[in-house]
């Protein structure tokens, strides 16, 4: 196929934090039988399936110096001009010199500037085709920090639209984005919905136990903070057969009836995800459960949760929120978490190895997504991954989210912290054995998982486009 048998995947970002582009690389190599070069930044390790594939080679680019982040405000606009020039030259060097000439460049957008410009120039120089995979609009992300009325944002939008129109083909993540590109950008795009690859699946109780043992120290300790997880840990053995959630019984591994509910949220710690909503919902859950139980503050925390209350098991569990991801606002929110002083809710922030992240999702009880989209036209990949693991989701509501989250089937939508708190109370009432609504949503998430797969979607929608643009370009 094609005259060179090669494709180049371009990401002006951390390839380890770009799952969709990793999946593209795997499909180009395995389903289209191409040699694949990935040109991206380093930082986080990609999935082992990418690292080990014999037909995939990763080329890591030099990054813009980090010391420029601390420059005075007056120099900010100078950096906004200088940084893309530096990125453009580095990117062009890799695309035109460092790697073999491909049949097709497949580039992630955003960021748009200078990525689309550099890739288009490289496609001219190397006589290659050029496909844009539209994840969002770059100008809307820039508008979060500079304001939509900024001249920089207007210029950015012009470059994004002009060079997007010069592409030989386009993919996008939603029907809403496809409509926007067609109506207002004069770009025809093929919808390729995100789907989880095969390594996202529900975890067995044995796999859960191994993961929980591996993460046990991080679960029990959080930078010196004593909470409902670390405070009660003295009642648990440190022996290797016992974790916070699981233990080994005569019949094998079992989940503890007094375990906390495990809630997972993945975030990039950026302004388009309002993490305050989750913190406020946690405070509301904590206070509302206290009011329901009419607790005496003198009762010790571990007695409330690990024993019985008047001979009956507590109706509402402790909640352990595990927040994964890296980003600019992480430290700010860690400080907020430390000041919450909650009795029934605990937070842990982690960055997991690529092979452990699917296991965590497959071991959790609920996923929470705070993504609202700068454009309102993209869908959160994290929810796709959660459904791949059969994990039901509470997601922030915005214009096109219902293309993914089907209300009361595989998840729920919220528009405020109060709504999210109500959902947590409703879903976890009677945990772990009498949560009918949570069980129903989990079944819906499992059905969503089985309805489609990345390889099937890519074969049907992306592969024909790749073949077409290569064929057209080689004639």
């Amino acid at each position: 196929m094609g005259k060179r048998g090669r494709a180049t995947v371009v990401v002006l970002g951390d390839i380890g934090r770009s799952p969709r582009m990793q999946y593209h690389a795997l499909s180009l190599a395995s389903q289209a039988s191409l040699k694949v070069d990935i040109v991206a930044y380093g930082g986080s390790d990609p999935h082992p399936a990418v690292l080990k594939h014999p037909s995939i080679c990763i080329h890591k680019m030099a990054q813009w110096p980090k010391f420029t982040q601390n420059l005075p405000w007056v120099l900010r606009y100078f950096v906004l001009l200088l940084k893309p020039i530096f990125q453009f030259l580095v990117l062009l060097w890799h695309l035109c010199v460092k790697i073999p000439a491909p049949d097709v460049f497949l580039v992630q957008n955003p960021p748009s500037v200078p990525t689309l410009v550099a890739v288009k120039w490289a496609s001219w120089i190397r006589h290659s085709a050029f496909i844009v995979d539209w994840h969002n609009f770059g100008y809307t992300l820039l508008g979060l920090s500079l304001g939509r009325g900024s001249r920089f944002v207007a210029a950015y939008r012009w470059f994004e639209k002009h060079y997007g129109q010069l592409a030989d083909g386009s993919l996008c993540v939603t029907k809403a984005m496809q409509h926007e590109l067609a109506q207002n950008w004069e770009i025809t795009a093929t919808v390729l919905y995100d789907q989880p690859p095969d390594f996202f699946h529900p975890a067995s109780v044995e796999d859960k136990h191994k993961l929980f043992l591996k993460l046990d120290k991080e679960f029990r300790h959080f930078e010196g903070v004593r909470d409902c997880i670390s405070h009660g840990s003295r009642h648990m053995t440190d022996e290797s057969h016992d974790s916070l959630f699981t233990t080994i019984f005569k019949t094998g591994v079992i989940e503890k009836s007094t375990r906390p509910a495990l809630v997972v949220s993945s975030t990039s710690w950026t302004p388009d995800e309002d993490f305050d909503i989750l913190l406020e919902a946690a405070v509301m859950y904590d206070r509302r459960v206290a009011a329901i139980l009419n607790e005496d503050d003198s009762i010790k925390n571990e007695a409330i949760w690990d024993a019985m209350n008047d001979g009956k098991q507590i109706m509402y569990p402790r909640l352990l929120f595990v927040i994964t991801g890296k980003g600019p606002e992480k430290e700010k929110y860690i400080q907020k978490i430390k000041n919450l002083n909650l009795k029934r809710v605990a937070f842990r922030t982690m960055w997991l190895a690529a092979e452990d992240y699917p296991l965590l999702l497959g071991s959790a009880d609920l996923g929470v997504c705070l993504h609202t989209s700068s454009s309102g036209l993209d869908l959160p990949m994290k929810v796709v991954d959660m459904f791949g693991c059969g994990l039901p989701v509470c997601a922030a509501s915005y214009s096109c989210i219902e293309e993914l989250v089907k209300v009361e089937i595989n998840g729920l939508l919220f528009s405020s912290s109060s709504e999210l708190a109500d959902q947590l109370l409703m879903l976890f009432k009677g945990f772990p054995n009498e949560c009918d609504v949570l069980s129903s949503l989990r079944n819906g998430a499992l059905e969503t998982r089985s309805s489609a797969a990345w390889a099937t979607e890519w074969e049907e929608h992306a592969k024909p486009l790749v073949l077409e643009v290569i064929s057209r370009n080689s004639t």
Side-chain angles (χ1 to χ4, degrees):
M1 165 193 149
K3 58 183 179 181
R4 296 161 180 156
R6 304 194 74 94
T8 298
V9 173
V10 184
V11 181
L12 198 68
D14 184 344
I15 185 59
R17 297 168 64 187
S18 304
R20 181 176 167 102
M21 301 311 287
Q22 293 182 54
Y23 307 156
H24 272 306
L26 287 169
S27 292
L28 287 165
S30 301
Q31 294 173 249
S33 301
L34 295 170
K35 297 287 184 180
V36 180
D37 295 292
I38 298 176
V39 176
Y41 293 144
S44 308
D45 289 333
H47 194 276
V50 175
L51 293 173
K52 296 176 181 178
H53 200 291
S55 296
I56 297 176
C57 182
I58 299 176
H59 307 264
K60 296 180 181 179
M61 297 181 291
Q63 298 191 46
W64 179 251
K66 289 187 177 180
F67 73 85
T68 58
Q69 296 173 357
N70 300 318
L71 290 175
W73 173 259
V74 293
L75 297 177
R76 184 174 181 180
Y77 287 101
F78 176 72
V79 170
L80 283 174
L81 289 172
L82 191 59
K83 182 178 178 179
I85 294 173
F86 171 86
Q87 293 173 323
F88 174 79
L89 294 174
V90 171
L91 187 54
L92 200 62
W93 168 258
H94 276 78
L95 299 183
C96 294
V97 179
K98 292 280 287 184
I99 65 169
D103 293 304
V104 61
F105 289 103
L106 176 58
V107 57
Q108 172 184 293
N109 184 75
S112 315
V113 178
T115 322
L116 298 186
V117 184
V119 175
K120 183 57 188 175
W121 283 30
S123 71
W124 280 331
I125 294 169
R126 309 208 79 172
H127 306 288
S128 304
F130 165 35
I131 296 175
V132 179
D133 189 18
W134 297 83
H135 297 194
N136 199 347
F137 292 112
Y139 82 94
T140 62
L141 288 170
L142 185 62
L144 291 176
S145 57
L146 299 184
R148 286 290 185 95
S150 167
R151 292 181 180 179
F152 278 97
V153 173
Y156 197 104
R157 186 183 187 279
W158 182 90
F159 274 99
E160 187 170 22
K161 180 178 180 179
H162 176 72
Y163 280 91
Q165 291 173 334
L166 295 177
D168 299 292
S170 290
L171 297 166
C172 65
V173 294
T174 65
K175 291 180 180 177
M177 184 174 288
Q178 180 189 46
H179 182 267
E180 171 69 15
L181 286 168
Q183 293 297 311
N184 298 319
W185 293 59
E186 299 177 3
I187 293 173
T188 301
T190 299
V191 177
L192 176 65
Y193 281 121
D194 282 318
Q195 300 291 346
D198 293 338
F199 43 79
F200 281 88
H201 55 75
S204 67
V205 67
E206 290 78 15
D207 287 338
K208 292 180 183 180
H209 185 63
K210 291 177 183 177
L211 178 69
F212 292 151
L213 288 176
K214 183 177 180 179
L215 301 178
D216 196 61
K217 188 173 292 185
E218 293 183 75
F219 284 151
R220 296 180 193 269
H221 303 285
F222 180 57
E223 299 186 22
V225 174
R226 287 173 65 80
D227 54 31
C228 65
I229 300 300
S230 61
H231 193 58
S233 63
R234 69 181 185 211
H235 294 286
M236 302 179 188
T237 176
D238 290 328
E239 296 177 12
S240 61
H241 64 266
D242 194 29
S243 78
L244 182 64
F245 300 89
T246 55
T247 190
I248 296 180
F249 199 59
K250 295 177 181 179
T251 55
V253 179
I254 61 171
E255 293 182 308
K256 296 177 177 178
S257 61
T258 57
R259 70 186 184 275
L262 179 58
V263 185
V264 176
S265 183
S266 176
T267 178
S268 55
W269 303 100
T270 52
D272 64 342
E273 296 183 350
D274 187 355
F275 198 74
D276 282 316
I277 290 177
L278 183 56
L279 297 187
E280 291 167 5
V283 172
M284 291 177 190
Y285 177 91
D286 195 67
R287 291 175 179 172
R288 291 178 189 178
V289 172
I292 291 169
L293 299 179
N294 192 25
E295 293 175 2
D296 183 336
D297 287 339
S298 65
I299 299 176
K300 292 183 179 179
N301 188 66
E302 54 266 42
I304 293 172
W305 296 110
D306 294 342
M308 300 289 180
N309 183 29
D310 296 330
K312 296 181 180 180
Q313 192 168 0
I314 292 299
M315 185 175 292
Y316 294 97
R318 293 168 291 170
L319 301 184
L320 175 58
F321 287 93
V322 175
I323 315 300
T324 70
K326 296 178 181 178
E329 297 193 336
K330 181 177 179 179
E331 291 304 318
K332 178 182 80 173
Y333 281 109
I334 286 179
Q335 287 303 123
K336 287 189 176 185
I337 290 170
K338 289 181 178 180
N339 295 329
L340 290 179
N341 192 30
L342 303 176
K343 294 181 179 179
R344 301 156 193 82
V345 181
F347 285 86
R348 300 294 183 267
T349 59
M350 298 181 182
W351 177 256
L352 297 172
E355 61 269 24
D356 286 340
Y357 179 61
L359 277 176
L360 179 66
L361 297 186
S363 303
D365 299 297
L366 180 70
V368 173
C369 176
L370 303 168
H371 179 83
T372 53
S373 174
S374 62
S375 65
L377 299 173
D378 69 315
L379 294 175
M381 184 70 195
K382 65 199 75 177
V383 172
V384 175
D385 293 339
M386 290 172 181
F387 288 159
C389 294
L391 183 64
V393 172
C394 291
S397 181
Y398 63 95
S399 57
C400 68
I401 188 65
E402 290 188 51
E403 288 191 39
L404 178 60
V405 178
K406 310 302 180 184
V407 178
E408 297 183 357
I409 296 177
N410 56 18
L412 300 173
L413 300 178
F414 60 86
S415 299
S416 66
S417 55
S418 180
E419 278 190 86
L420 178 56
D422 289 341
Q423 291 170 3
L424 294 173
L425 284 164
M426 182 265 293
L427 292 174
F428 287 119
K429 182 178 180 180
F431 184 85
N433 299 318
E434 299 178 12
C435 306
D436 294 339
V437 178
L438 185 63
S439 297
S440 175
L441 294 180
R442 180 174 288 278
N443 291 334
L446 288 168
E447 290 178 10
T448 301
R449 178 185 186 275
S450 62
S451 65
W454 171 266
T456 304
E457 286 284 305
W458 200 91
E459 189 78 21
E460 181 178 351
H461 300 290
K463 185 177 179 180
L465 178 63
V466 172
L467 291 173
E468 179 190 346
V469 299
I470 290 177
S471 176
R472 193 190 323 141
N473 189 67
S474 62
T475 57

